Amino acid sequence: MRTVRTHRPFRPTRSTLLCAVGAVFVGAASPSAAVGQYPDARLVPRGVLRVGFEPSYLSYRERYDFNGLREPLGTDFSDSAAGLRLFPTLAAPQTALGSIIGDPGYTMNVGAFRTTMDADIRHFPLTLHLGLLKRLTLTARVPIVATRSQVNFAADSGAPGDAGWNQLAAQAENAGAAAQILALLTELEAAAAVVDAAIESGSYGCPASPECDDARAAVSDARQLRTDLALLAGTTATGEPLAVGSPFAPLAGSDAGTALVAAIQDVSSRLAALGAPGVPTTYPLPSTAVGAEDVNAMLADSAYGYGARPLEFTKYRQKLGDMEVGLRFGLLQGGSLRATLASTIRLPTGKLDDPDNYTDIAVGDKQTDVEFGVEAAWEPGSVFAVAASGMYNLQLGHTLDRRVTRHVEPLAPLATKASVTRDLGDELRAAIYPSLRLSQSFTVYGSAGYYRRGADAYTLVSQPEGSSTVNPDDLAFQTAMSSWRFGGGIHYYAIEGRSGAGLPIEAGIDFHSVFSGTGGQAPKSSGVYFYLRLHWGLFNKGPAPPPPPQPPEDGAETPPEEVQPEG
């Protein structure tokens, strides 16, 4: 007597699956790819509630520039000779110094700074799917989002600049500087007034002689020098502090510092030759170059026009992200061919990034999205299968506060902060997932995905008060982008347990990484996404959905049947 047993696939219990997923969580804690999932295009049966826990980890430390070349994420905050691009409030003192030394093209070099940055975003969402009808499922997603920005802002000690603290700054700790500068400004005006009075009285052969022309030039140069020195110091000509102070000045002994002292001495000697009282010939200049801690002190001090957070590590912020509600409609729900339409409304429940923190990361967009998508899966009964998905996200406008600047000029002053209406560029995603079915329940797959985002659009609600005009188009600079990503994962879907067919259990893990991009700000991201989904019957429990087709065993055309004993 011979008995042939029917092949029985492995059917893990829920406890076995939970242990396995726990091990996957521990093993997948390293940085990798991004948020995604295998689009199996299934619906939840009518009357069934699916609850999912679907955490993801996304990290990046590089981006793609406009030409598609990789560059560090901290590129915008780095410079080999930092000047106006990084520190725009240096414009007035730099112009004044160029006027003093007779070089209109002079640029202040604050030093070489290198910023390394890496960031990550962690989602911990609870997802709910409720089967309303046979072909209609209601969906919801409630995400808790944690963001982190690791920033290391450092000066290159091998390439110091030619600037240090303005000696009027509290950070310079030069108690006598204010009196020295005020005395110089006062004496310059007093000497110029003496020569000016002599000109009016007809001295120096005035009103028409070469000596009179020299005297008039000396008076003009003295008063221009007085104005420029006051701007360099961050004060009015009478010593009153300006609304936006001047943080830096040329180093003593630098080319610019030497030329400044020479210019003061030249004007002083010319006035003295015309009979004016003596003018001080010294100006307090710094002796130590600017360091990274000095820049951070400047950014944090509103007296210098920034009033922002230093460039430093931003710890994890854990907040509620943008919640979602949606519907899924089954076009086809066969055993081997499925297609599903999906629509989602993303709600403005997340928290925006802080405009006073240059490296902060938002936990949500804080505006409404309307998203439409399609999923399809073809599982013909062999070991090979393929799935695909596509999505279009219409991002609607909203109003928020921003510091208006281009991303390549990131340290925008407080005076550029304005209320703007932002319309984020619409998004298009498409992906394909060729797969290999290891068994009735397990599928391994590769993935290739394309992403495109249109340019953002900004309009000003009103110009910032008491500042120069800002251009909202600066915020939209290089916001359009595209990228390609590749990855893979494992998808588990089972509807049979030891007691026979029941409600499904789903689990999986997905890795992917971006390998190319364009636009100027496309992140080279990588991460991991994994999920566990359990089902509960609530009402109108119907039969479980049919299992996916099983590949033939050992080349047989039909599954083997149990053979009865002979005799």
Side-chain angles (χ1 to χ4, degrees), residues 97 106 161-167 174 232 248-262 282-290:
L97 184 55
Y106 169 77
D162 62 3
W165 274 114
N166 170 18
Q167 295 300 283
N174 187 344
L232 180 62
F248 305 133
L251 290 173
S254 67
D255 291 345
T258 301
L260 181 148
V261 173
T282 59
Y283 183 92
L285 294 174
S287 57
T288 304
V290 174

PDB file of all heavy atoms in Angstrom, residues 97 106 161-167 174 232 248-262 282-290:
ATOM      1  N   LEU A  97      34.423 100.082   3.370  1.00  0.00           N
ATOM      2  CA  LEU A  97      35.859  99.790   3.407  1.00  0.00           C
ATOM      3  C   LEU A  97      36.481  99.938   2.029  1.00  0.00           C
ATOM      4  O   LEU A  97      37.602 100.463   1.888  1.00  0.00           O
ATOM      5  CB  LEU A  97      36.080  98.385   3.955  1.00  0.00           C
ATOM      6  CG  LEU A  97      37.535  97.949   4.142  1.00  0.00           C
ATOM      7  CD1 LEU A  97      38.307  98.928   5.028  1.00  0.00           C
ATOM      8  CD2 LEU A  97      37.599  96.541   4.737  1.00  0.00           C
ATOM      9  N   TYR A 106      36.529  95.834  -3.775  1.00  0.00           N
ATOM     10  CA  TYR A 106      37.016  95.062  -2.630  1.00  0.00           C
ATOM     11  C   TYR A 106      35.933  94.129  -2.095  1.00  0.00           C
ATOM     12  O   TYR A 106      34.760  94.507  -1.980  1.00  0.00           O
ATOM     13  CB  TYR A 106      37.468  96.001  -1.516  1.00  0.00           C
ATOM     14  CG  TYR A 106      37.728  95.297  -0.196  1.00  0.00           C
ATOM     15  CD1 TYR A 106      38.889  94.560  -0.014  1.00  0.00           C
ATOM     16  CD2 TYR A 106      36.788  95.347   0.829  1.00  0.00           C
ATOM     17  CE1 TYR A 106      39.122  93.898   1.182  1.00  0.00           C
ATOM     18  CE2 TYR A 106      37.010  94.688   2.030  1.00  0.00           C
ATOM     19  CZ  TYR A 106      38.179  93.961   2.198  1.00  0.00           C
ATOM     20  OH  TYR A 106      38.399  93.306   3.381  1.00  0.00           O
ATOM     21  N   GLY A 161      40.536  84.079   7.038  1.00  0.00           N
ATOM     22  CA  GLY A 161      40.203  85.252   6.239  1.00  0.00           C
ATOM     23  C   GLY A 161      40.967  86.476   6.711  1.00  0.00           C
ATOM     24  O   GLY A 161      41.896  86.393   7.524  1.00  0.00           O
ATOM     25  N   ASP A 162      40.566  87.633   6.182  1.00  0.00           N
ATOM     26  CA  ASP A 162      41.230  88.890   6.553  1.00  0.00           C
ATOM     27  C   ASP A 162      40.318  89.741   7.429  1.00  0.00           C
ATOM     28  O   ASP A 162      40.436  90.959   7.458  1.00  0.00           O
ATOM     29  CB  ASP A 162      41.650  89.663   5.300  1.00  0.00           C
ATOM     30  CG  ASP A 162      40.470  90.078   4.420  1.00  0.00           C
ATOM     31  OD1 ASP A 162      39.307  89.808   4.804  1.00  0.00           O
ATOM     32  OD2 ASP A 162      40.707  90.667   3.352  1.00  0.00           O
ATOM     33  N   ALA A 163      39.395  89.083   8.162  1.00  0.00           N
ATOM     34  CA  ALA A 163      38.442  89.823   8.986  1.00  0.00           C
ATOM     35  C   ALA A 163      38.354  89.207  10.381  1.00  0.00           C
ATOM     36  O   ALA A 163      38.604  88.015  10.576  1.00  0.00           O
ATOM     37  CB  ALA A 163      37.059  89.832   8.332  1.00  0.00           C
ATOM     38  N   GLY A 164      37.993  90.054  11.333  1.00  0.00           N
ATOM     39  CA  GLY A 164      37.746  89.641  12.707  1.00  0.00           C
ATOM     40  C   GLY A 164      36.592  90.457  13.257  1.00  0.00           C
ATOM     41  O   GLY A 164      35.935  91.212  12.525  1.00  0.00           O
ATOM     42  N   TRP A 165      36.326  90.327  14.550  1.00  0.00           N
ATOM     43  CA  TRP A 165      35.211  91.052  15.147  1.00  0.00           C
ATOM     44  C   TRP A 165      35.407  92.568  15.052  1.00  0.00           C
ATOM     45  O   TRP A 165      36.496  93.086  15.323  1.00  0.00           O
ATOM     46  CB  TRP A 165      35.059  90.696  16.619  1.00  0.00           C
ATOM     47  CG  TRP A 165      34.240  89.469  16.876  1.00  0.00           C
ATOM     48  CD1 TRP A 165      34.677  88.292  17.395  1.00  0.00           C
ATOM     49  CD2 TRP A 165      32.841  89.313  16.635  1.00  0.00           C
ATOM     50  NE1 TRP A 165      33.646  87.397  17.479  1.00  0.00           N
ATOM     51  CE2 TRP A 165      32.487  87.997  17.028  1.00  0.00           C
ATOM     52  CE3 TRP A 165      31.845  90.142  16.116  1.00  0.00           C
ATOM     53  CZ2 TRP A 165      31.202  87.497  16.929  1.00  0.00           C
ATOM     54  CZ3 TRP A 165      30.550  89.641  16.013  1.00  0.00           C
ATOM     55  CH2 TRP A 165      30.235  88.336  16.417  1.00  0.00           C
ATOM     56  N   ASN A 166      34.381  93.263  14.618  1.00  0.00           N
ATOM     57  CA  ASN A 166      34.338  94.708  14.756  1.00  0.00           C
ATOM     58  C   ASN A 166      34.558  95.038  16.235  1.00  0.00           C
ATOM     59  O   ASN A 166      33.888  94.485  17.111  1.00  0.00           O
ATOM     60  CB  ASN A 166      32.974  95.206  14.272  1.00  0.00           C
ATOM     61  CG  ASN A 166      32.723  96.663  14.588  1.00  0.00           C
ATOM     62  OD1 ASN A 166      33.640  97.429  14.870  1.00  0.00           O
ATOM     63  ND2 ASN A 166      31.458  97.051  14.548  1.00  0.00           N
ATOM     64  N   GLN A 167      35.480  95.942  16.514  1.00  0.00           N
ATOM     65  CA  GLN A 167      35.861  96.178  17.904  1.00  0.00           C
ATOM     66  C   GLN A 167      34.788  96.865  18.733  1.00  0.00           C
ATOM     67  O   GLN A 167      34.904  96.950  19.959  1.00  0.00           O
ATOM     68  CB  GLN A 167      37.166  96.973  17.952  1.00  0.00           C
ATOM     69  CG  GLN A 167      38.361  96.210  17.376  1.00  0.00           C
ATOM     70  CD  GLN A 167      38.621  94.907  18.133  1.00  0.00           C
ATOM     71  OE1 GLN A 167      39.173  94.928  19.235  1.00  0.00           O
ATOM     72  NE2 GLN A 167      38.234  93.782  17.542  1.00  0.00           N
ATOM     73  N   ASN A 174      36.514  94.784  23.760  1.00  0.00           N
ATOM     74  CA  ASN A 174      37.436  95.917  23.711  1.00  0.00           C
ATOM     75  C   ASN A 174      36.695  97.135  24.272  1.00  0.00           C
ATOM     76  O   ASN A 174      36.003  97.854  23.546  1.00  0.00           O
ATOM     77  CB  ASN A 174      37.893  96.164  22.279  1.00  0.00           C
ATOM     78  CG  ASN A 174      38.978  97.230  22.190  1.00  0.00           C
ATOM     79  OD1 ASN A 174      39.208  97.997  23.132  1.00  0.00           O
ATOM     80  ND2 ASN A 174      39.662  97.281  21.058  1.00  0.00           N
ATOM     81  N   LEU A 232      31.554 101.392   8.672  1.00  0.00           N
ATOM     82  CA  LEU A 232      32.379 100.229   8.984  1.00  0.00           C
ATOM     83  C   LEU A 232      32.210  99.819  10.441  1.00  0.00           C
ATOM     84  O   LEU A 232      32.204  98.633  10.779  1.00  0.00           O
ATOM     85  CB  LEU A 232      33.847 100.531   8.665  1.00  0.00           C
ATOM     86  CG  LEU A 232      34.852  99.408   8.943  1.00  0.00           C
ATOM     87  CD1 LEU A 232      34.543  98.182   8.090  1.00  0.00           C
ATOM     88  CD2 LEU A 232      36.275  99.900   8.688  1.00  0.00           C
ATOM     89  N   PHE A 248      31.897  92.483  11.472  1.00  0.00           N
ATOM     90  CA  PHE A 248      33.309  92.218  11.207  1.00  0.00           C
ATOM     91  C   PHE A 248      34.016  93.440  10.632  1.00  0.00           C
ATOM     92  O   PHE A 248      33.403  94.334  10.051  1.00  0.00           O
ATOM     93  CB  PHE A 248      33.459  91.038  10.248  1.00  0.00           C
ATOM     94  CG  PHE A 248      32.760  89.787  10.725  1.00  0.00           C
ATOM     95  CD1 PHE A 248      31.948  89.060   9.868  1.00  0.00           C
ATOM     96  CD2 PHE A 248      32.913  89.351  12.033  1.00  0.00           C
ATOM     97  CE1 PHE A 248      31.298  87.915  10.301  1.00  0.00           C
ATOM     98  CE2 PHE A 248      32.266  88.216  12.486  1.00  0.00           C
ATOM     99  CZ  PHE A 248      31.463  87.493  11.621  1.00  0.00           C
ATOM    100  N   ALA A 249      35.339  93.456  10.801  1.00  0.00           N
ATOM    101  CA  ALA A 249      36.212  94.524  10.291  1.00  0.00           C
ATOM    102  C   ALA A 249      37.517  93.879   9.845  1.00  0.00           C
ATOM    103  O   ALA A 249      37.838  92.750  10.250  1.00  0.00           O
ATOM    104  CB  ALA A 249      36.467  95.571  11.378  1.00  0.00           C
ATOM    105  N   PRO A 250      38.322  94.564   9.023  1.00  0.00           N
ATOM    106  CA  PRO A 250      39.572  93.959   8.548  1.00  0.00           C
ATOM    107  C   PRO A 250      40.571  93.761   9.681  1.00  0.00           C
ATOM    108  O   PRO A 250      40.621  94.541  10.632  1.00  0.00           O
ATOM    109  CB  PRO A 250      40.079  94.967   7.512  1.00  0.00           C
ATOM    110  CG  PRO A 250      39.464  96.257   7.908  1.00  0.00           C
ATOM    111  CD  PRO A 250      38.122  95.916   8.465  1.00  0.00           C
ATOM    112  N   LEU A 251      41.343  92.713   9.582  1.00  0.00           N
ATOM    113  CA  LEU A 251      42.364  92.428  10.587  1.00  0.00           C
ATOM    114  C   LEU A 251      43.471  93.474  10.550  1.00  0.00           C
ATOM    115  O   LEU A 251      43.850  93.975   9.471  1.00  0.00           O
ATOM    116  CB  LEU A 251      42.979  91.049  10.339  1.00  0.00           C
ATOM    117  CG  LEU A 251      42.099  89.823  10.611  1.00  0.00           C
ATOM    118  CD1 LEU A 251      42.826  88.567  10.152  1.00  0.00           C
ATOM    119  CD2 LEU A 251      41.758  89.730  12.096  1.00  0.00           C
ATOM    120  N   ALA A 252      43.984  93.795  11.704  1.00  0.00           N
ATOM    121  CA  ALA A 252      45.175  94.639  11.771  1.00  0.00           C
ATOM    122  C   ALA A 252      46.319  93.885  11.097  1.00  0.00           C
ATOM    123  O   ALA A 252      46.555  92.711  11.363  1.00  0.00           O
ATOM    124  CB  ALA A 252      45.517  94.949  13.225  1.00  0.00           C
ATOM    125  N   GLY A 253      47.027  94.530  10.204  1.00  0.00           N
ATOM    126  CA  GLY A 253      48.119  93.884   9.493  1.00  0.00           C
ATOM    127  C   GLY A 253      47.715  93.251   8.190  1.00  0.00           C
ATOM    128  O   GLY A 253      48.592  92.898   7.382  1.00  0.00           O
ATOM    129  N   SER A 254      46.415  93.089   7.933  1.00  0.00           N
ATOM    130  CA  SER A 254      45.974  92.593   6.630  1.00  0.00           C
ATOM    131  C   SER A 254      46.146  93.703   5.595  1.00  0.00           C
ATOM    132  O   SER A 254      46.347  94.877   5.934  1.00  0.00           O
ATOM    133  CB  SER A 254      44.518  92.161   6.687  1.00  0.00           C
ATOM    134  OG  SER A 254      43.674  93.280   6.903  1.00  0.00           O
ATOM    135  N   ASP A 255      46.065  93.334   4.331  1.00  0.00           N
ATOM    136  CA  ASP A 255      46.205  94.351   3.282  1.00  0.00           C
ATOM    137  C   ASP A 255      45.151  95.435   3.438  1.00  0.00           C
ATOM    138  O   ASP A 255      45.459  96.635   3.330  1.00  0.00           O
ATOM    139  CB  ASP A 255      46.077  93.701   1.904  1.00  0.00           C
ATOM    140  CG  ASP A 255      47.265  92.807   1.563  1.00  0.00           C
ATOM    141  OD1 ASP A 255      48.300  92.922   2.253  1.00  0.00           O
ATOM    142  OD2 ASP A 255      47.136  91.985   0.633  1.00  0.00           O
ATOM    143  N   ALA A 256      43.900  95.020   3.699  1.00  0.00           N
ATOM    144  CA  ALA A 256      42.828  96.007   3.841  1.00  0.00           C
ATOM    145  C   ALA A 256      43.018  96.827   5.106  1.00  0.00           C
ATOM    146  O   ALA A 256      42.792  98.053   5.105  1.00  0.00           O
ATOM    147  CB  ALA A 256      41.475  95.310   3.861  1.00  0.00           C
ATOM    148  N   GLY A 257      43.422  96.187   6.212  1.00  0.00           N
ATOM    149  CA  GLY A 257      43.642  96.913   7.454  1.00  0.00           C
ATOM    150  C   GLY A 257      44.773  97.920   7.334  1.00  0.00           C
ATOM    151  O   GLY A 257      44.671  99.057   7.828  1.00  0.00           O
ATOM    152  N   THR A 258      45.854  97.520   6.665  1.00  0.00           N
ATOM    153  CA  THR A 258      46.985  98.427   6.461  1.00  0.00           C
ATOM    154  C   THR A 258      46.580  99.612   5.594  1.00  0.00           C
ATOM    155  O   THR A 258      46.948 100.768   5.865  1.00  0.00           O
ATOM    156  CB  THR A 258      48.152  97.666   5.814  1.00  0.00           C
ATOM    157  OG1 THR A 258      48.545  96.579   6.671  1.00  0.00           O
ATOM    158  CG2 THR A 258      49.345  98.581   5.588  1.00  0.00           C
ATOM    159  N   ALA A 259      45.807  99.325   4.528  1.00  0.00           N
ATOM    160  CA  ALA A 259      45.360 100.396   3.637  1.00  0.00           C
ATOM    161  C   ALA A 259      44.414 101.349   4.357  1.00  0.00           C
ATOM    162  O   ALA A 259      44.427 102.566   4.100  1.00  0.00           O
ATOM    163  CB  ALA A 259      44.680  99.799   2.407  1.00  0.00           C
ATOM    164  N   LEU A 260      43.588 100.843   5.261  1.00  0.00           N
ATOM    165  CA  LEU A 260      42.672 101.690   6.032  1.00  0.00           C
ATOM    166  C   LEU A 260      43.444 102.681   6.902  1.00  0.00           C
ATOM    167  O   LEU A 260      43.148 103.883   6.920  1.00  0.00           O
ATOM    168  CB  LEU A 260      41.756 100.813   6.885  1.00  0.00           C
ATOM    169  CG  LEU A 260      40.701 101.509   7.746  1.00  0.00           C
ATOM    170  CD1 LEU A 260      39.460 100.644   7.877  1.00  0.00           C
ATOM    171  CD2 LEU A 260      41.235 101.830   9.147  1.00  0.00           C
ATOM    172  N   VAL A 261      44.435 102.180   7.636  1.00  0.00           N
ATOM    173  CA  VAL A 261      45.230 103.059   8.499  1.00  0.00           C
ATOM    174  C   VAL A 261      45.974 104.097   7.663  1.00  0.00           C
ATOM    175  O   VAL A 261      46.064 105.279   8.037  1.00  0.00           O
ATOM    176  CB  VAL A 261      46.209 102.228   9.352  1.00  0.00           C
ATOM    177  CG1 VAL A 261      47.149 103.139  10.123  1.00  0.00           C
ATOM    178  CG2 VAL A 261      45.440 101.315  10.308  1.00  0.00           C
ATOM    179  N   ALA A 262      46.485 103.670   6.495  1.00  0.00           N
ATOM    180  CA  ALA A 262      47.197 104.602   5.614  1.00  0.00           C
ATOM    181  C   ALA A 262      46.261 105.701   5.119  1.00  0.00           C
ATOM    182  O   ALA A 262      46.674 106.873   4.997  1.00  0.00           O
ATOM    183  CB  ALA A 262      47.802 103.845   4.442  1.00  0.00           C
ATOM    184  N   THR A 282      44.866 106.434  14.294  1.00  0.00           N
ATOM    185  CA  THR A 282      44.680 105.003  14.554  1.00  0.00           C
ATOM    186  C   THR A 282      43.197 104.670  14.588  1.00  0.00           C
ATOM    187  O   THR A 282      42.360 105.526  14.895  1.00  0.00           O
ATOM    188  CB  THR A 282      45.309 104.595  15.896  1.00  0.00           C
ATOM    189  OG1 THR A 282      44.709 105.350  16.954  1.00  0.00           O
ATOM    190  CG2 THR A 282      46.819 104.839  15.879  1.00  0.00           C
ATOM    191  N   TYR A 283      42.894 103.423  14.266  1.00  0.00           N
ATOM    192  CA  TYR A 283      41.527 102.901  14.298  1.00  0.00           C
ATOM    193  C   TYR A 283      41.616 101.511  14.896  1.00  0.00           C
ATOM    194  O   TYR A 283      42.450 100.690  14.461  1.00  0.00           O
ATOM    195  CB  TYR A 283      40.945 102.844  12.879  1.00  0.00           C
ATOM    196  CG  TYR A 283      39.507 102.377  12.804  1.00  0.00           C
ATOM    197  CD1 TYR A 283      38.463 103.287  12.831  1.00  0.00           C
ATOM    198  CD2 TYR A 283      39.204 101.019  12.705  1.00  0.00           C
ATOM    199  CE1 TYR A 283      37.145 102.870  12.759  1.00  0.00           C
ATOM    200  CE2 TYR A 283      37.892 100.592  12.635  1.00  0.00           C
ATOM    201  CZ  TYR A 283      36.858 101.515  12.657  1.00  0.00           C
ATOM    202  OH  TYR A 283      35.565 101.091  12.598  1.00  0.00           O
ATOM    203  N   PRO A 284      40.808 101.173  15.906  1.00  0.00           N
ATOM    204  CA  PRO A 284      40.915  99.857  16.544  1.00  0.00           C
ATOM    205  C   PRO A 284      40.477  98.744  15.596  1.00  0.00           C
ATOM    206  O   PRO A 284      39.329  98.717  15.137  1.00  0.00           O
ATOM    207  CB  PRO A 284      39.979  99.975  17.748  1.00  0.00           C
ATOM    208  CG  PRO A 284      39.012 101.063  17.402  1.00  0.00           C
ATOM    209  CD  PRO A 284      39.783 102.018  16.543  1.00  0.00           C
ATOM    210  N   LEU A 285      41.399  97.834  15.297  1.00  0.00           N
ATOM    211  CA  LEU A 285      41.137  96.718  14.398  1.00  0.00           C
ATOM    212  C   LEU A 285      41.373  95.398  15.128  1.00  0.00           C
ATOM    213  O   LEU A 285      42.192  95.322  16.055  1.00  0.00           O
ATOM    214  CB  LEU A 285      42.045  96.803  13.165  1.00  0.00           C
ATOM    215  CG  LEU A 285      41.804  97.996  12.230  1.00  0.00           C
ATOM    216  CD1 LEU A 285      42.867  98.027  11.136  1.00  0.00           C
ATOM    217  CD2 LEU A 285      40.407  97.935  11.613  1.00  0.00           C
ATOM    218  N   PRO A 286      40.697  94.327  14.711  1.00  0.00           N
ATOM    219  CA  PRO A 286      40.851  93.027  15.370  1.00  0.00           C
ATOM    220  C   PRO A 286      42.190  92.383  15.029  1.00  0.00           C
ATOM    221  O   PRO A 286      42.796  92.675  13.992  1.00  0.00           O
ATOM    222  CB  PRO A 286      39.697  92.209  14.814  1.00  0.00           C
ATOM    223  CG  PRO A 286      39.406  92.821  13.478  1.00  0.00           C
ATOM    224  CD  PRO A 286      39.677  94.289  13.638  1.00  0.00           C
ATOM    225  N   SER A 287      42.627  91.501  15.897  1.00  0.00           N
ATOM    226  CA  SER A 287      43.872  90.775  15.673  1.00  0.00           C
ATOM    227  C   SER A 287      43.644  89.284  15.465  1.00  0.00           C
ATOM    228  O   SER A 287      44.585  88.558  15.132  1.00  0.00           O
ATOM    229  CB  SER A 287      44.819  90.967  16.870  1.00  0.00           C
ATOM    230  OG  SER A 287      44.192  90.535  18.075  1.00  0.00           O
ATOM    231  N   THR A 288      42.406  88.810  15.656  1.00  0.00           N
ATOM    232  CA  THR A 288      42.088  87.381  15.537  1.00  0.00           C
ATOM    233  C   THR A 288      41.047  87.176  14.453  1.00  0.00           C
ATOM    234  O   THR A 288      40.029  87.886  14.411  1.00  0.00           O
ATOM    235  CB  THR A 288      41.548  86.827  16.874  1.00  0.00           C
ATOM    236  OG1 THR A 288      42.500  87.085  17.908  1.00  0.00           O
ATOM    237  CG2 THR A 288      41.293  85.330  16.778  1.00  0.00           C
ATOM    238  N   ALA A 289      41.297  86.197  13.574  1.00  0.00           N
ATOM    239  CA  ALA A 289      40.379  85.927  12.469  1.00  0.00           C
ATOM    240  C   ALA A 289      39.072  85.318  12.981  1.00  0.00           C
ATOM    241  O   ALA A 289      38.990  84.764  14.074  1.00  0.00           O
ATOM    242  CB  ALA A 289      41.043  84.987  11.463  1.00  0.00           C
ATOM    243  N   VAL A 290      38.057  85.430  12.162  1.00  0.00           N
ATOM    244  CA  VAL A 290      36.730  84.902  12.494  1.00  0.00           C
ATOM    245  C   VAL A 290      36.752  83.377  12.496  1.00  0.00           C
ATOM    246  O   VAL A 290      37.322  82.744  11.601  1.00  0.00           O
ATOM    247  CB  VAL A 290      35.684  85.404  11.476  1.00  0.00           C
ATOM    248  CG1 VAL A 290      34.325  84.750  11.718  1.00  0.00           C
ATOM    249  CG2 VAL A 290      35.573  86.914  11.544  1.00  0.00           C
TER     250      VAL A 290
END
